[in-house]
């Protein structure tokens, strides 16, 4: 009886090469999981998502508008929660007093965003928007004009 439901000879790979590839893949997976856990940032609670797509499938399956989905999540997790939409992590604030505190009283602390990937840089007007620029004179000017 074989360990695998297929034979390694059907792929023209020697069994030792196949096991080497399998073990290497498992080691890389373990190292990746460890390194991603060490960079873990404490975020507000939110619905658990899938590894690559985050909460996209949960949102799509709900068949609701985004604001309706957010309202349902807010009822379960409170006024501040985290949603992952693909590779983007969003922290949603749904209380006006907290939003005022974050945006007005502590604006400079929360102003800077993570750097964009090249594709998003193209579609974000080369960081000349409030949500894409780093905190500084450009950000203050854009925010004032907003």
């Amino acid at each position: 009886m074989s360990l695998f439901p297929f034979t390694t000879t059907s792929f023209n790979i020697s069994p030792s090469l196949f096991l080497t590839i399998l073990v290497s893949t498992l080691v890389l997976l373990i190292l990746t999981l460890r390194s991603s856990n060490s960079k873990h940032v404490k975020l507000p609670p939110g619905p658990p998502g899938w590894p690559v797509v985050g909460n996209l499938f949960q949102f799509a399956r709900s068949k609701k508008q985004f604001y309706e989905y957010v309202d349902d999540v807010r009822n379960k997790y409170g006024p501040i929660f985290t949603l992952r939409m693909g590779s983007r992590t969003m922290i949603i604030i749904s209380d006006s007093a907290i939003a005022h505190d974050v945006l007005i009283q502590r604006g400079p602390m929360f102003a800077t965003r993570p750097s964009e990937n090249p594709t998003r840089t193209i579609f974000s007007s080369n960081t000349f928007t409030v949500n894409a620029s780093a905190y500084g004179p450009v950000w203050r000017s854009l925010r004032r004009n907003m």
Side-chain angles (χ1 to χ4, degrees):
M1 174 144 190
S2 174
L3 263 146
F4 308 107
F6 53 86
T7 61
T8 56
T9 56
S10 64
F11 296 114
N12 292 330
I13 298 175
S14 69
S16 62
L17 179 62
F18 178 75
L19 287 175
T20 303
I21 292 171
L22 182 67
V23 168
S24 300
T25 304
L26 289 173
V27 167
L28 285 174
L29 181 64
I30 290 169
L31 290 175
T32 302
L33 290 175
R34 275 193 183 165
S35 67
S36 66
N37 288 341
S38 65
K39 297 176 188 174
H40 185 70
V41 177
K42 188 171 168 92
L43 296 173
W50 292 19
V52 175
V53 295
N55 302 109
L56 281 173
F57 288 152
Q58 295 164 339
F59 168 59
R61 279 195 322 240
S62 73
K63 296 183 179 167
K64 296 180 179 179
Q65 294 291 325
F66 186 71
Y67 66 90
E68 295 171 325
Y69 177 73
V70 165
D71 192 44
D72 290 346
V73 175
R74 181 187 57 82
N75 290 335
K76 184 172 183 180
Y77 291 100
I80 302 176
F81 56 91
T82 303
L83 286 178
R84 290 176 181 83
M85 297 294 179
S87 63
R88 305 298 291 184
T89 300
M90 299 185 299
I91 298 173
I92 300 197
I93 300 172
S94 61
D95 180 72
S96 60
I98 297 172
H100 181 271
D101 181 48
V102 169
L103 296 174
I104 305 301
Q105 295 176 347
R106 300 181 195 192
M109 185 186 318
F110 295 105
T112 302
R113 305 295 188 271
S115 60
E116 299 284 356
N117 62 36
T119 306
R120 288 190 55 90
T121 301
I122 292 169
F123 293 109
S124 69
S125 303
N126 197 22
T127 68
F128 288 111
T129 59
V130 172
N131 63 334
S133 63
Y135 180 73
V138 173
W139 181 88
R140 285 192 297 273
S141 173
L142 291 168
R143 184 169 181 264
R144 196 172 27 250
N145 290 332
M146 187 175 72

